[in-house]
């Protein structure tokens, strides 16, 4: 099995630009800021809500920290779910036996079962950004959950 925990500085050089899932929802915050600008120019009671939306989105985009959760490449995926920001887990696609996305109230969990019998888990907030890549690079390995969305 080639999958292992390594230091981020020891990651292989990625030939293509990897698809990256971030902690901070940058697109949603940008849309919220633009919606706030739109409400600001309505010259109605909603202008106050627009100001609040602009302030929240600008504060979130500029002041709150962001980090990688997962990176997808054609050969492997990188999980950045360690306490230390300098460590990560590289999981090669052929080492995955199956994967499952579990829905929970506070956060969701992606569970990867590997060929050596170990499991890797990572907390996520949406299945949508990862589902396409998991189905593309690990086709037919998804375990459907019997549990419905909470």
């Amino acid at each position: 099995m080639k999958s292992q925990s390594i230091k981020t500085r020891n990651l292989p050089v990625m030939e293509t630009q990897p698809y990256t899932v971030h902690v901070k929802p940058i697109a949603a915050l940008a849309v919220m800021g633009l919606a706030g600008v739109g409400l600001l120019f309505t010259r109605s009671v909603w202008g106050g809500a627009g100001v609040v939306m602009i302030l929240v989105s600008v504060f979130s985009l500029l002041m709150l920290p962001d980090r990688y959760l997962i990176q997808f490449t054609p050969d492997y995926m990188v999980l950045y779910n360690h306490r230390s920001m300098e460590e990560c887990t590289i999981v090669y696609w052929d080492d995955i036996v199956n994967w499952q996305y579990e829905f929970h109230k506070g956060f969701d969990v992606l569970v990867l079962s590997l060929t050596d019998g170990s499991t890797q888990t990572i907390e996520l907030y949406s299945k949508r950004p990862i589902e396409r890549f998991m189905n593309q690079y690990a086709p037919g390995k998804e375990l459907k959950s019997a549990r419905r969305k909470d």
Side-chain angles (χ1 to χ4, degrees):
M1 188 171 103
K2 298 186 293 185
S3 300
Q4 58 186 322
S5 293
I6 59 173
K7 299 283 186 185
T8 54
R9 66 178 176 264
N10 295 333
L11 278 171
V13 177
M14 299 177 190
E15 290 105 27
T16 61
Q17 181 66 26
Y19 177 78
T20 304
V21 177
H22 294 267
V23 172
K24 192 186 309 185
I26 296 170
L29 291 170
V31 168
M32 184 173 80
L34 292 174
V37 169
L39 288 175
L40 193 62
F41 290 115
T42 60
R43 298 179 189 248
S44 68
V45 180
W46 291 101
V51 170
V52 171
M53 290 171 70
I54 293 168
L55 291 176
V56 167
S57 64
V58 168
F59 174 78
S60 298
L61 286 170
L62 297 179
M63 304 303 277
L64 295 179
D66 191 18
R67 66 182 181 94
Y68 296 154
L69 285 177
I70 301 177
Q71 285 185 322
F72 295 99
T73 69
D75 299 323
Y76 55 85
M77 67 189 297
V78 181
L79 307 175
Y80 296 94
N81 59 337
H82 293 273
R83 290 197 186 273
S84 171
M85 298 292 286
E86 296 177 4
E87 294 180 9
C88 63
T89 302
I90 186 168
V91 178
Y92 287 88
W93 297 113
D94 54 349
D95 288 343
I96 297 175
V97 175
N98 56 47
W99 65 275
Q100 183 175 19
Y101 193 87
E102 297 176 356
F103 297 97
H104 298 281
K105 290 206 184 282
F107 54 84
D108 300 340
V109 178
L110 175 65
V111 180
L112 302 170
S113 298
L114 304 178
T115 55
D116 68 347
S118 66
T119 59
Q120 290 289 327
T121 60
I122 186 164
E123 297 175 1
L124 298 169
Y125 298 99
S126 177
K127 182 178 182 179
R128 192 179 31 144
I130 63 144
E131 185 175 31
R132 178 176 66 134
F133 293 99
M134 293 303 294
N135 286 329
Q136 179 181 352
Y137 296 125
K141 295 182 179 181
E142 181 180 9
L143 290 178
K144 299 289 183 179
S145 177
R147 186 174 172 188
R148 307 285 264 180
K149 251 186 166 176
D150 293 84

